[in-house]
Structure formats: C-alpha cells, structure tokens
Amino acid sequence: MCEVRPVSGRGLGLVATRDIAPGEVVLSETPVLLYPHHNSLVSAAEAAINFEGLDDELASALLLLVRVISLKTAATAGSGEAQATASAVLAAVASLVPAPESVPFDAEELLRRLPGGHDLTLGDVLGLLRRDAANAYGISLDGGETLRGSVLLATGSRLNHECLPNVARLDAFDDGAPGAGLKHVAFKALHAIPAGEELTQSYFPLHWDLEERQERAVEAGAEARPEDCGGADEGYVGMFLLKYSCPNDACSGTLVPVSARRADVSRCNVCGLQRTDQELYAELDAMA
C-alpha cells in the first residue's frame, strides 16, 4: 500500500503504491520502544534516577537511556522469551535511521546521571539520542494534551509533515495507565489518496494557528512549503480544518473516517467524539 521512497525536497518519505480510500489503514506497526516521561515512572529503577535540574525533554531522554540499559541487561543475562524479546528490540532500535545533526542535549551530563554497571559509551548515548530525535512521537496515555511518553516507530517516522495532511495517527493502548503496553500505532487516510502521492501527517494539532504550525514544523526540522497548506486558497484551508478538526473545544484531536466502508462517519483520534457527514453539512447550512 505504501513504501519508502525519495521525495523531492524532502529526503525520504512514505508514498502510496496504489489508490487508497478514505478511512483505510495505510500503516500499522508495533512500536520499537515505548518509554514514559519522568512524571509517569513505572519502575523502581527509574524512580531512583536523579532528575534534579532537568527539564522534561532531558528527563525523558535519560529514561530512554535507562530503558536501553535494562534491555541490554535482559539480552545478556536473561533467558528464554525475555532474552529474545530484548535482543529483538535492541536490534530494531539500532536499525532506526538517526537524525543527521547532533542533538541539543548535554549527552555527557546524561551519561553521568545513569546508574552504575552499564556499558554505554558517549558515542552510544549520542547515537540513541539522534535516533530518538528522528523517530520518536510524543504520546498521551490519558487522551489529553499533556505528553505522558514517547514511542519509537521504524516506518511511521518516515511520514513527513504537512499542515493539511492526508493521514492521521491512532494509538492503541491496552489501557490508559502510565506505562501500559502499546499494541500498535496505526495511520488512517483522511480522504482519498491516489497512487504515487506522498503520505503526510501534521506533527501538531490541527486547531493550532496555521502559521504557528508552519513555524513549529520548521523548528522540528520539517520543510514548510506553501503547497503544504493549500497555497493561497483560504477557502480550502477553512473547509479542511472544519471537516477534520475535532469540534470539541477542549480537544486537540483529528476527526478520522472510522473505516473505508463507513467513510461518512468520522471519530476523533483523541477524545472519541463521532460526527457524520450529514451532521457536518447541517452545520455548514446553519453557518450560511
């Protein structure tokens, strides 16, 4: 359905290999690694880390390193299925493409804060942080806007940013508890996508101001192009945001067709609010 290809002006991206219907799942994958932010600690070992003086990003980066150390221990000292699983996850992390530039973190400081007994070098730490920078998504385990963790995806990370995307992400957790196991992350088509078109997502909530999303995309290393936001056609932009932004004022989600067979019904990927196309048309008539 899609494959990684070079995209003009974008490096690598995911491109549709056939026509895709609205509501169709274009990609579903098991995360390489899931780890909580430091306000969602899930183990005694992580709770013992010294977070003093670290902001959220540095604290989460430190937790990523601790998770990798735990995996390395399980891969060498464990046995059976646990050992095999840890080895597979480490191999998957190593296979991720790192960010081309250095990360804005003090890697030496993070290395000093790690618990003793590990064999990570400064080069290992930098490599892990660069992979995290290029492949991680922020996640919300409670369905709100507060980030509770990060997830590393091998293929999903190839989805480039557009202010008016053609796919949206759906996270499937076992439950809403911090540290809960993640079954999979899926991406669904918002509308019909012809073969050969690049698959894109918005890295930021659609209800954010368009210019703010463009600026944040550039800060995140994405190239914000005029055509990504519907060019100068303000009418198209307005209709797009009205159709796909969750109408719940307290929500930051995107309305996604529930399936290819029920593309006339959309459900928010954050709060679960559901709306039919008929209800949308009624809203438009009321606004006319």
Side-chain angles (χ1 to χ4, degrees), residues 87-257:
S87 297
V89 172
L90 288 172
V93 171
S95 72
L96 296 174
V97 178
E101 299 179 359
S102 60
V103 293
F105 293 142
D106 186 344
E108 292 184 351
E109 172 63 17
L110 293 177
L111 187 60
R112 284 193 293 269
R113 290 181 183 242
L114 290 174
H118 67 83
D119 62 353
L120 290 184
T121 66
L122 181 60
D124 293 333
V125 171
L126 288 170
L128 287 167
L129 294 179
R130 288 176 61 204
R131 283 171 172 78
D132 178 69
N135 299 281
Y137 287 94
I139 54 173
S140 173
L141 299 185
D142 57 4
E145 291 194 42
T146 302
L147 290 182
R148 300 288 298 280
S150 297
V151 61
L152 283 173
L153 300 176
T155 304
S157 66
R158 291 301 187 187
L159 284 161
N160 288 316
H161 168 81
E162 277 197 14
C163 293
L164 304 180
N166 54 24
V167 306
R169 191 182 99 221
L170 296 93
D171 301 329
F173 293 91
D174 290 331
D175 56 47
L182 188 65
K183 293 179 180 178
H184 68 275
V185 174
F187 296 87
K188 275 188 176 182
L190 294 178
H191 51 73
I193 304 172
E197 183 171 308
E198 183 186 9
L199 305 181
T200 59
Q201 64 171 326
S202 176
Y203 290 173
F204 313 102
L206 292 180
H207 76 278
W208 284 12
D209 180 78
L210 202 59
E211 291 185 2
E212 181 181 6
R213 282 192 284 136
Q214 287 180 295
E215 292 174 0
R216 291 289 296 274
V218 172
E219 291 174 3
E223 182 180 352
R225 307 171 301 181
E227 61 267 29
D228 295 343
C229 300
D233 190 344
E234 295 183 3
Y236 175 81
V237 173
M239 283 298 299
F240 184 97
L241 297 178
L242 184 63
K243 180 174 177 60
Y244 297 112
S245 296
C246 180
N248 179 356
D249 292 337
C251 180
S252 61
T254 300
L255 290 178
V256 186

